């Protein structure tokens, strides 16, 4: 099923912050954030066992337990099993995201993209999410940012394991869609070139944003559109850098990135629009993009995201952005229509 048909709106909720991403978030605040998303009409929730070693899934399961199950869509991820025994959180090897979930649960995380582990991962997620089904499964982080030079061997494990398992579950009707959930373009390119697996789309985080979109635009978006697949854009604010935060790609932003943000911000200020509106509406202007899923850990951020989607952005802003070389010349813009 096309992600464009499956997803119940252009704005979803990325739940990584519910896994205590970067800080220890109180239960009440986490619950209020999901409640705010629901109240604002958001009906697509993206999760992963990796987020706080199961914490985000548990919190989301609690928050949605009293909601009608047919009213919303859940995606979660496979590739990591969360065990009952605990480990030293500071000793985990998490590639470029070593510190991201240090406030999550201490349960041991095991990387496993095999067929059997994929089936077990989904069963475990169903338990944590307190639901009888998920609509979409993403194969998580089978890419360079986590596995370095080993990423191709991990991808091969997923090709012979997870991809086959998810094709079967989708064909049986247990899932409605599957694909990759990654922060890099290359694994998507590789999967699109394979003959066997039949993914329905991809969750691409951080690679189709105002601050970084050239490679995805040239290498992935055309193929995805040609095949009537869909992209869910994660991290549309580039780890917060686009909206004034200190981080880009989970690390302190470089002077070059900060300069680009400042130039975009100057244009946005001139037109009286928010940076969130610029970021979300840019991503959604690409016909391959089915939804954007900014993360949030505070209820007021949800309202900001919804407002940003509805904000009227003058065509002149997009024209000036392109003229200043702040977006790739081939990037579709809302004013192009």
């Amino acid at each position: 099923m096309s992600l464009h048909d499956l997803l119940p709106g252009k704005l979803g909720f990325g739940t990584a912050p519910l896994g205590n991403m970067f800080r220890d978030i109180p239960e009440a605040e986490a619950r209020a954030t999901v409640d705010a998303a629901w109240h604002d009409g958001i009906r697509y929730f993206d999760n992963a066992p990796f987020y706080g070693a199961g914490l985000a899934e548990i919190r989301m399961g609690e928050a949605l337990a009293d909601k009608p199950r047919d009213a919303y869509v859940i995606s979660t991820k496979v590739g990591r099993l969360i065990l009952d025994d605990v480990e030293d959180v500071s000793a985990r090897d998490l590639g470029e995201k070593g510190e991201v979930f240090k406030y999550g649960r201490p349960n041991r995380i095991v990387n496993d993209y095999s067929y059997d582990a994929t089936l077990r991962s989904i069963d475990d997620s169903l338990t944590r999410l307190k639901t009888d089904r998920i609509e979409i499964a993403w194969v998580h982080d089978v890419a360079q940012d986590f596995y370095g030079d080993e990423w191709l061997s991990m991808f091969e494990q997923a090709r012979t394991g997870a991809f086959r398992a998810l094709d079967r579950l989708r064909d049986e009707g247990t899932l409605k869609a599957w694909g990759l959930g990654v922060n890099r373009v290359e694994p998507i390119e590789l999967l699109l070139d394979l003959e066997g697996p039949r993914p329905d789309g991809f969750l691409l985080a951080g690679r189709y944003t105002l601050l970084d979109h050239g490679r995805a635009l040239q290498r992935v978006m055309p193929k995805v559109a040609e095949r009537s697949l869909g992209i869910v854009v994660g991290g549309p604010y580039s780890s917060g850098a686009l909206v004034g935060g200190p981080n880009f790609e989970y690390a302190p932003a470089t002077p070059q990135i900060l300069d680009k943000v400042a130039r975009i911000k100057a244009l946005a200020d001139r037109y009286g629009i928010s940076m969130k509106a610029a970021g979300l509406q840019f991503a959604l202007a690409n016909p391959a993009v089915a939804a954007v899923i900014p993360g949030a850990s505070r209820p007021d951020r949800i309202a900001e995201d919804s407002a940003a989607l509805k904000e009227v952005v003058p065509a002149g802003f997009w024209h000036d952005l392109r003229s200043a070389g702040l977006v790739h010349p081939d990037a579709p813009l809302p004013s192009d229509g």
Side-chain angles (χ1 to χ4, degrees), residues 145-165:
D145 54 329
F146 268 91
Y147 299 112
D149 293 341
E150 297 296 308
W151 85 270
L152 285 170
S153 65
M154 301 304 282
F155 186 95
E156 179 63 12
Q157 186 187 74
R159 185 187 70 80
T160 57
F163 299 174
R164 284 178 48 237

Side-chain angles (χ1 to χ4, degrees), residues 19-32:
N20 281 353
M21 188 177 186
F22 296 123
R23 67 187 181 96
D24 194 353
I25 298 167
E27 287 296 328
E29 189 177 318
R31 177 61 179 267

Side-chain angles (χ1 to χ4, degrees), residues 96-332:
E96 296 176 9
K97 293 186 187 168
E99 294 289 298
V100 174
F101 291 110
K102 67 180 180 181
Y103 299 106
R105 299 161 79 218
N107 295 57
R108 192 150 70 91
I109 300 172
V110 176
N111 302 319
D112 194 336
Y113 296 87
S114 68
Y115 189 98
D116 289 344
T118 299
L119 300 180
R120 178 180 162 188
S121 179
I122 287 177
D123 282 343
D124 290 349
S125 287
L126 292 175
T127 300
R128 288 189 291 265
L129 291 164
K130 293 188 170 183
T131 186
D132 61 349
R133 66 190 187 276
I134 60 167
E135 282 75 19
I136 307 168
W138 307 118
V139 181
H140 203 189
D141 286 331
V142 59
Q144 307 93 309
D145 54 329
F146 268 91
Y147 299 112
D149 293 341
E150 297 296 308
W151 85 270
L152 285 170
S153 65
M154 301 304 282
F155 186 95
E156 179 63 12
Q157 186 187 74
R159 185 187 70 80
T160 57
F163 299 174
R164 284 178 48 237
L166 297 175
D167 259 341
R168 192 197 98 194
L169 292 176
R170 195 259 326 276
D171 292 348
E172 290 174 353
T174 306
L175 294 171
K176 291 185 176 176
W178 74 270
L180 301 182
V182 289
N183 300 282
R184 293 290 183 271
V185 170
E186 292 82 0
I188 297 177
E189 286 185 76
L190 192 54
L191 178 50
L192 286 170
D193 285 341
L194 293 179
E195 289 295 322
R198 293 168 287 117
D200 302 279
F202 306 95
L203 195 172
L204 180 60
R207 300 282 74 75
Y208 198 76
T209 71
L210 263 181
L211 298 182
D212 182 0
H213 55 267
R215 189 178 183 89
L217 183 70
Q218 295 170 292
R219 307 292 287 270
V220 165
M221 300 314 226
K223 288 182 182 177
V224 168
E226 279 164 24
R227 301 186 195 188
S228 299
L229 306 177
I231 295 272
V232 173
V233 169
Y237 307 136
S238 298
S239 296
L242 185 67
V243 289
N247 293 323
F248 175 80
E249 278 297 286
Y250 310 103
T254 63
Q256 293 94 322
I257 289 291
L258 294 174
D259 177 63
K260 187 171 185 180
V261 171
R263 292 173 68 200
I264 297 171
K265 177 85 164 63
L267 265 183
D269 288 347
R270 191 188 316 158
Y271 281 95
I273 63 162
S274 71
M275 290 292 273
K276 283 194 167 187
L280 295 187
Q281 294 186 32
F282 168 79
L284 286 167
N286 192 299
V289 175
V292 289
I293 52 166
S297 62
R298 293 185 173 94
D300 57 330
R301 301 283 164 79
I302 300 284
E304 289 174 10
D305 294 335
S306 288
L309 215 54
K310 301 179 184 110
E311 208 172 303
V312 177
V313 178
F317 169 77
W318 302 113
H319 178 269
D320 289 355
L321 206 61
R322 187 175 268 156
S323 297
L326 290 168
V327 291
H328 191 283
D330 297 331

Side-chain angles (χ1 to χ4, degrees), residues 58-74:
I58 291 168
R59 283 174 159 174
M60 203 180 87
E62 293 281 352
L64 296 181
D66 63 341
K67 304 293 189 284
R69 184 60 188 87
D70 290 343
Y72 59 93
V73 168
I74 289 179

